[in-house]
Every structure is written in structure tokens, then in C-alpha cells.
Amino acid sequence: MSQQEVSKEQSMILQKNMLARLFKELSTAKETGKKVVYTFVPGNLSELILAFDMLPVYPEINALQSGMRKKSRDFIRDAEKAGHSEDVCTYVKCDIGMMLNGNIGPTGEKLPDPDLLLLSYTGCFTFMKWFENLERLYPGVEVAMLHTPYQEGGKITPEMVRYMVKQLKEEVIPKMEKVSGKKFDKNKLSETLENSRKAQDLITQIFDSTKNKPSPIDAYFAGVYYIGPINAGFRGTIEAVEYYQELYNEVQNRVEKGLGPVTPEGEIEEERFRLVVEGPPNWTHFREFWSLFYNMGAVIVASSYTKVGGVYDWGFRHDPQRPLESLAEYCMNCYTNLNLTQRIDLLEKCIKDYHADGFLINSIKSCNSFSAGQLFMMRTLEDKLGIPVGFIESDLVDPRYFSYSNIKNRLDSFFQMLDQRKMIQKQESHLTG
Ligand code: SF4
């Protein structure tokens, strides 16, 4: 398939139009009077924002877009010049650098200042510091915080749900009423949650399609595009349901034809390796990074990164009958809020369900919150499942920490290991068969 044909897929056009409309609405928000909420992807309250007719801005999505558009180097430099140390998460520095340079968003249109900073805290302390900085940079802005209790014991208790619902009722919703000038409408929220549930059913089936051989999709490199609408403010809209229905149809079509994933270079002809990946991708060299995999016929059949905005694998769905309770459960179920054992269990399930040949970690230099337990995760999965494991390092949006040759060397050894294991398995099956 040529690249021209690839770009014609209807779901891609739908997504492009949705995002263009959102950024257009944002650029005219001050004229139209629409209120703007800055918030984060993990534990986002997309449906509540929609119920108040407000518009969301996700700083980490803007940062990764800046990385892909090769703008992050200069933004990070400017943030460092303004006093942010080299150790600070590069999403934060990229976002602050973008703001210092006029806050021009990914479509080239200016982003409006926030009317509300909605800090939904799901496990990363940096989020708190990030919004403390934004509060200083936007004096007078309203701030609402929703504290999500960490799943330290590996389960959600009724007390945890009550604690969160109380915060929603007493802190978040009153702030949203104040900022939007509208009364909270529970029915409207329930309607959006019904759409969320439908989109979540569809996205789960889309990611589940990697059970097929060959896998019709790459659940990491293409997966980051698939999670776009559900994580960028459209969860809860009918548009998101239509987008995921279209994408689901396209994926089913590929399954029926026995086709592999579409990559920027066309289709993967032969699926040689099936991998599960932990950690976000590198954004500054996204295409080169992807090419290291598709050149080797490696397909990512599951990734933890596509679950940071919500884990639906274990059956969680928003529930229109229990609107606030299900918002609370959604936040507590985000990947970033799971304890290490739960994350390992989830990765183990992915490795088994999707018949992965190997497990790979892309450890992010500036993400202290989630790089900490990765070696333990890797060794545990290696011991438990006896599969080859690999470890590479890069960064989210700081190009200074992407070394193509280092990553390639490590991946070459990893692929050799996978190749050898396949040969041994083949010889063994000949002997026993
Ligand atoms: S430290 Fe990691 S989890 Fe926290 S904001 Fe940065 S990238 Fe996200």
C-alpha cells in the first residue's frame, strides 16, 4: 500500500477534523465566551468538562506535539534559561517553554489562557508541581484539585470511592459551576458517560485485534494515534463513538484480509516478532524510532502507554447510572495509579493474551515517576514467563537524550536473542513432532 493510500483511511480524516475543530474552538474561546480547562490525561474528567460546555487543554499532549514538530528543543532551552533544572520532566519544560513563546498550539493557532486548572492527581507528583508553576504564570486562575488515592493495596475500596465522590461534589463541581456560570446537570453527564462506555467497548476490541496473526495493527506506534480522541477531550462525545466505530470497521477489514499493520513506509509484509512494550515512545524521533521496529518485522501487540489515559482491559466502563462513582473509579484505574504488582499483572496478561515473543522497556530519562520500578518489572516478567526481555533508554521530548545508534545496538541484540529463541523452539518442535 502506498503512503498516499494509507493517508486516505477514513478514521484518520475523522480524527484530523475533530482535532482541527477543537483547536479552532480553543483559538476563538475568548470571543465566544467558552471557558477553558487545563487538565492532564491520566484521570481526566473529560465528561464533566463536556457537561459544563467547557473546552479542555492537555499540556502533555501539546508537549508531545511540540516534540513531533521539532519545536521542543528550543522550548526546553527557554524553560531551562528561566530556571527549570535539567532534571525536571521535559513535558513540563516543553509546555512552559511553549507558553513563554506565545502559547501557539500544534495547529499554529494560539491557545487561550486557562479559566480553570483542574489537577486530577493520579500518582505523579510532577503534576502538582507543574500546575503550581502554571498557577504562578496565570495569576488569578481558579484551581481545583482532585486527589486520587493510589491503589497501594491493589484494589479500590468503597471508602476510596466515597472520598473521591466527596471531592467531586464539594471541590470540583462547585469550581466548575463558578467558572462556567452553569448549574451541574447530572442527566447531561450521564448522557456523555453513555458515549464513553460505547467508545471504551470499541477501543478495547480494537486493541484486542492483536490476538490475530498477523496482528492487523501496531498497538504502540499506531496505538498512540488510536488513543488520541479518547484522551484528548472527545471521550463522552458522539464523534468519538463514530471515530472508534470507523476505526473498528477498518481493523476488522484488515483482519478479514489477513493484513498486517500499516506503517509510514507501507504495510509490514512479514510479522517476525510480536512484542509488548512498557513506557512511552520517544516523540522527537518518532518515525526513526518506529522504523527500527518495522525494518525488523517487529510488531507491538500491546503497550502500557496506550493505557495511561484509562485501563479498559479488566472490564472497567463508565456507568451512566453511577456517574460520579464511575468517574472516581475511572481515575483510580488509570495505569499511572496502579501499584507495581498490578502493572506487572497487566503486562503479563498482555504477553499471554497476545502471544508476545518478547518484552521491551523504553525507559524515559526525565520521567522519574514511572522509570523507578521498571527493572524490577522486567526481571519479574523474565523469571515468571521465561521470555526474552530488552531495555532501551530515551526521552519524551528532549532530543538530547535520543541516541539512534545506542538504541539500534541494543535492539539488534534483542532481536538476535528473539531470533535464536525462535530457532530453538522450531528445532524442539521438529524433534517432538
Ligand atoms: S514525570 Fe512522567 S508521569 Fe509525571 S508528568 Fe512527567 S512524563 Fe508524566
Side-chain angles (χ1 to χ4, degrees):
M1 191 182 282
S2 72
Q3 221 183 324
Q4 210 178 10
E5 279 173 289
V6 170
S7 66
K8 276 188 197 156
E9 283 195 308
Q10 184 60 18
S11 62
M12 288 183 187
I13 297 167
L14 284 177
Q15 177 166 173
K16 199 169 165 224
N17 292 343
M18 287 158 77
L19 290 170
R21 184 187 53 71
L22 173 61
F23 281 101
K24 175 55 71 193
E25 277 196 77
L26 282 167
S27 71
T28 55
K30 294 301 164 200
E31 292 96 81
T32 58
K34 281 237 175 190
K35 300 297 176 194
V36 176
V37 183
Y38 281 25
T39 193
F40 293 112
V41 171
N44 72 76
L45 301 174
S46 178
E47 297 83 358
L48 207 50
I49 296 170
L50 288 169
F52 281 100
D53 284 325
M54 297 197 278
L55 296 171
V57 170
Y58 293 94
E60 71 267 58
I61 294 184
N62 293 333
L64 75 85
Q65 293 271 1
S66 298
M68 287 178 120
R69 290 180 300 135
K70 311 278 181 211
K71 289 180 178 285
S72 54
R73 180 194 297 268
D74 291 348
F75 290 161
I76 290 168
R77 183 203 55 211
D78 290 348
E80 286 178 357
K81 268 194 206 158
H84 297 276
S85 107
E86 213 184 298
D87 293 334
V88 170
C89 166
T90 49
Y91 270 174
V92 181
K93 285 187 289 187
C94 186
D95 179 47
I96 288 176
M98 185 175 99
M99 193 218 156
L100 296 174
N101 284 279
N103 224 15
I104 306 300
T107 52
E109 289 149 310
K110 187 171 167 37
L111 289 170
D113 290 356
D115 298 294
L116 174 67
L117 297 177
L118 173 58
L119 170 56
S120 180
Y121 173 85
T122 49
C124 172
F125 192 65
T126 302
F127 283 143
M128 288 185 28
K129 293 285 146 199
W130 193 340
F131 268 18
E132 273 176 22
N133 275 291
L134 291 193
E135 195 182 359
R136 268 198 292 276
L137 291 166
Y138 296 105
V141 66
E142 289 286 349
V143 182
M145 171 153 170
L146 176 66
H147 173 244
T148 302
Y150 184 58
Q151 284 210 44
E152 196 180 349
K155 64 175 191 248
I156 297 171
T157 64
E159 292 75 27
M160 287 157 81
V161 177
R162 275 202 295 277
Y163 169 65
M164 288 201 74
V165 169
K166 189 171 187 296
Q167 293 179 76
L168 287 168
K169 283 184 177 163
E170 294 178 7
E171 160 80 3
V172 177
I173 291 175
K175 280 269 168 64
M176 287 185 151
E177 286 181 324
K178 184 177 172 198
V179 169
S180 69
K182 294 187 174 147
K183 281 297 294 166
F184 172 53
D185 181 344
K186 201 170 168 187
N187 292 336
K188 195 168 175 188
L189 175 63
S190 292
E191 278 166 31
T192 66
L193 292 171
E194 180 60 37
N195 288 332
S196 299
R197 200 184 52 72
K198 288 180 189 158
Q200 287 157 348
D201 276 344
L202 286 163
I203 202 169
T204 306
Q205 292 176 66
I206 290 162
F207 280 119
D208 217 34
S209 70
T210 61
K211 276 185 178 148
N212 292 284
K213 288 190 181 178
S215 168
I217 61 165
D218 187 294
Y220 186 51
F221 294 105
V224 300
Y225 291 99
Y226 301 158
I227 57 171
I230 210 163
N231 284 351
F234 293 92
R235 204 186 61 224
T237 65
I238 192 71
E239 283 168 291
V241 179
E242 287 166 0
Y243 165 80
Y244 285 109
Q245 186 62 60
E246 176 60 34
L247 180 60
Y248 173 77
N249 295 345
E250 288 168 5
V251 171
Q252 277 309 108
N253 191 25
R254 301 189 69 74
V255 172
E256 279 156 26
K257 291 182 176 154
L259 298 173
V262 180
T263 77
E265 307 303 315
E267 272 164 22
I268 291 192
E269 304 273 313
E270 189 200 348
E271 178 188 277
R272 292 183 62 218
F273 307 114
R274 298 166 65 87
L275 307 177
V276 168
V277 174
E278 147 72 18
N282 164 272
W283 300 110
T284 53
H285 299 75
F286 186 79
R287 194 155 167 181
E288 276 170 275
F289 190 40
W290 190 350
S291 74
L292 287 165
F293 292 82
Y294 61 69
N295 286 343
M296 294 301 294
V299 175
I300 318 303
V301 289
S303 65
S304 55
Y305 181 67
T306 51
K307 304 177 196 303
V308 291
V311 175
Y312 309 118
D313 307 53
W314 288 323
F316 169 79
R317 300 288 181 273
H318 281 97
D319 182 355
Q321 307 301 322
R322 302 168 55 250
L324 298 185
E325 290 77 5
S326 78
L327 285 179
E329 286 159 5
Y330 156 74
C331 292
M332 287 187 279
N333 263 319
C334 282
Y335 185 75
T336 53
N337 199 55
L338 303 180
N339 71 23
L340 218 47
T341 311
Q342 288 173 299
R343 287 185 224 169
I344 292 170
D345 289 348
L346 184 59
L347 291 164
E348 181 181 348
K349 175 176 158 37
C350 290
I351 291 166
K352 287 180 175 164
D353 287 358
Y354 305 123
H355 308 287
D357 305 307
F359 173 66
L360 180 75
I361 289 178
N362 180 33
S363 190
I364 296 298
K365 192 245 167 215
S366 65
C367 180
N368 297 324
S369 303
F370 294 98
S371 302
Q374 285 177 330
L375 282 173
F376 175 71
M377 288 165 125
M378 188 174 87
R379 292 296 166 227
T380 307
L381 288 166
E382 186 182 29
D383 290 348
K384 212 167 171 185
L385 304 177
I387 56 162
V389 294
F391 192 88
I392 53 176
E393 288 168 285
S394 67
D395 191 60
L396 297 161
V397 289
D398 192 337
R400 292 173 296 185
Y401 300 112
F402 183 87
S403 165
Y404 183 86
S405 49
N406 278 353
I407 293 176
K408 186 169 182 333
N409 279 345
R410 289 218 192 166
L411 282 178
D412 283 347
S413 317
F414 180 53
F415 291 135
Q416 268 174 17
M417 204 157 62
L418 289 167
D419 234 354
Q420 277 168 0
R421 188 167 187 258
K422 283 204 162 197
M423 265 165 30
I424 293 167
Q425 281 172 335
K426 216 169 169 181
Q427 281 164 357
E428 283 174 353
S429 76
H430 271 305
L431 288 173
T432 52

